[in-house]
Amino acid sequence: MSKQSAEHHTKAAEHHEHAAKHHKEAAKHHESGNAETAAHHAHLAHGHTQFANHHAGEAAKSHIADHNKTDDKAKATKA
Protein backbone atom coordinates (compact mmCIF):
# COMPACT_ATOMS: atom_id res chain seq x y z
CA MET A 1 0.00 0.00 0.00
CA SER A 2 1.32 3.41 -0.89
CA LYS A 3 2.04 6.03 1.74
CA GLN A 4 -0.64 8.25 0.20
CA SER A 5 -3.25 5.49 0.43
CA ALA A 6 -2.36 4.82 4.07
CA GLU A 7 -2.72 8.52 4.87
CA HIS A 8 -6.19 8.57 3.30
CA HIS A 9 -7.23 5.54 5.34
CA THR A 10 -5.96 7.22 8.51
CA LYS A 11 -7.79 10.46 7.73
CA ALA A 12 -10.99 8.54 6.95
CA ALA A 13 -10.75 6.75 10.30
CA GLU A 14 -10.15 10.02 12.15
CA HIS A 15 -13.20 11.62 10.53
CA HIS A 16 -15.33 8.59 11.40
CA GLU A 17 -14.20 8.94 15.03
CA HIS A 18 -15.06 12.65 15.05
CA ALA A 19 -18.45 11.89 13.50
CA ALA A 20 -19.16 9.30 16.19
CA LYS A 21 -18.35 11.82 18.94
CA HIS A 22 -20.71 14.38 17.40
CA HIS A 23 -23.47 11.78 17.04
CA LYS A 24 -23.11 10.96 20.75
CA GLU A 25 -23.28 14.66 21.60
CA ALA A 26 -26.33 15.08 19.37
CA ALA A 27 -28.05 12.18 21.14
CA LYS A 28 -27.23 13.61 24.56
CA HIS A 29 -28.62 17.04 23.67
CA HIS A 30 -31.67 15.54 21.97
CA GLU A 31 -32.50 13.55 25.13
CA SER A 32 -32.22 16.70 27.24
CA GLY A 33 -34.56 18.58 24.90
CA ASN A 34 -31.97 20.89 23.39
CA ALA A 35 -32.91 20.42 19.76
CA GLU A 36 -30.83 23.30 18.41
CA THR A 37 -27.56 22.00 19.88
CA ALA A 38 -28.50 18.45 18.87
CA ALA A 39 -29.01 19.61 15.30
CA HIS A 40 -25.68 21.44 15.36
CA HIS A 41 -23.82 18.29 16.40
CA ALA A 42 -25.74 16.17 13.90
CA HIS A 43 -24.72 18.60 11.18
CA LEU A 44 -21.07 18.42 12.25
CA ALA A 45 -21.28 14.61 12.31
CA HIS A 46 -22.62 14.65 8.77
CA GLY A 47 -19.72 16.83 7.62
CA HIS A 48 -17.16 14.49 9.16
CA THR A 49 -18.89 11.53 7.51
CA GLN A 50 -18.63 13.29 4.14
CA PHE A 51 -14.91 13.90 4.67
CA ALA A 52 -14.43 10.26 5.73
CA ASN A 53 -16.16 9.07 2.56
CA HIS A 54 -13.98 11.38 0.48
CA HIS A 55 -10.78 10.00 1.99
CA ALA A 56 -12.02 6.41 1.62
CA GLY A 57 -12.66 7.11 -2.06
CA GLU A 58 -9.20 8.61 -2.50
CA ALA A 59 -7.66 5.57 -0.81
CA ALA A 60 -9.56 3.32 -3.22
CA LYS A 61 -8.25 5.31 -6.19
CA SER A 62 -4.74 4.86 -4.86
CA HIS A 63 -5.30 1.10 -4.47
CA ILE A 64 -6.53 0.89 -8.06
CA ALA A 65 -3.52 2.84 -9.31
CA ASP A 66 -1.16 0.56 -7.37
CA HIS A 67 -2.92 -2.51 -8.74
CA ASN A 68 -2.71 -1.21 -12.30
CA LYS A 69 1.03 -0.55 -11.91
CA THR A 70 1.49 -4.14 -10.71
CA ASP A 71 -0.52 -5.43 -13.68
CA ASP A 72 1.51 -3.32 -16.10
CA LYS A 73 4.77 -4.69 -14.67
CA ALA A 74 3.47 -8.27 -14.94
CA LYS A 75 2.40 -7.70 -18.56
CA ALA A 76 5.79 -6.17 -19.42
CA THR A 77 7.58 -9.15 -17.86
CA LYS A 78 5.53 -11.62 -19.94
CA ALA A 79 6.13 -9.72 -23.20
Side-chain angles (χ1 to χ4, degrees), residues 5 31 40-42 49 55 61 70 73-74:
S5 180
E31 286 177 0
H40 171 74
H41 282 285
T49 300
H55 285 292
K61 287 180 192 176
T70 302
K73 287 179 184 177

Side-chain angles (χ1 to χ4, degrees), residues 1-13 59 62-63 66:
M1 178 175 10
S2 71
K3 181 180 178 184
Q4 184 180 23
S5 180
E7 289 173 355
H8 281 298
H9 281 298
T10 300
K11 288 180 182 179
S62 183
H63 285 302
D66 290 345

Side-chain angles (χ1 to χ4, degrees), residues 9 11-21 23 48-49 52-53 56:
H9 281 298
K11 288 180 182 179
E14 289 170 354
H15 282 293
H16 280 301
E17 290 168 358
H18 287 297
K21 289 176 185 176
H23 278 299
H48 281 293
T49 300
N53 289 336

Side-chain angles (χ1 to χ4, degrees), residues 15-75:
H15 282 293
H16 280 301
E17 290 168 358
H18 287 297
K21 289 176 185 176
H22 284 294
H23 278 299
K24 288 176 183 176
E25 282 295 310
K28 181 176 79 175
H29 289 290
H30 182 75
E31 286 177 0
S32 69
N34 190 345
E36 187 175 334
T37 304
H40 171 74
H41 282 285
H43 185 78
L44 291 173
H46 177 72
H48 281 293
T49 300
Q50 293 294 335
F51 280 123
N53 289 336
H54 166 76
H55 285 292
E58 291 300 311
K61 287 180 192 176
S62 183
H63 285 302
I64 291 167
D66 290 345
H67 179 70
N68 288 340
K69 287 178 190 174
T70 302
D71 280 353
D72 291 343
K73 287 179 184 177
K75 289 176 186 175

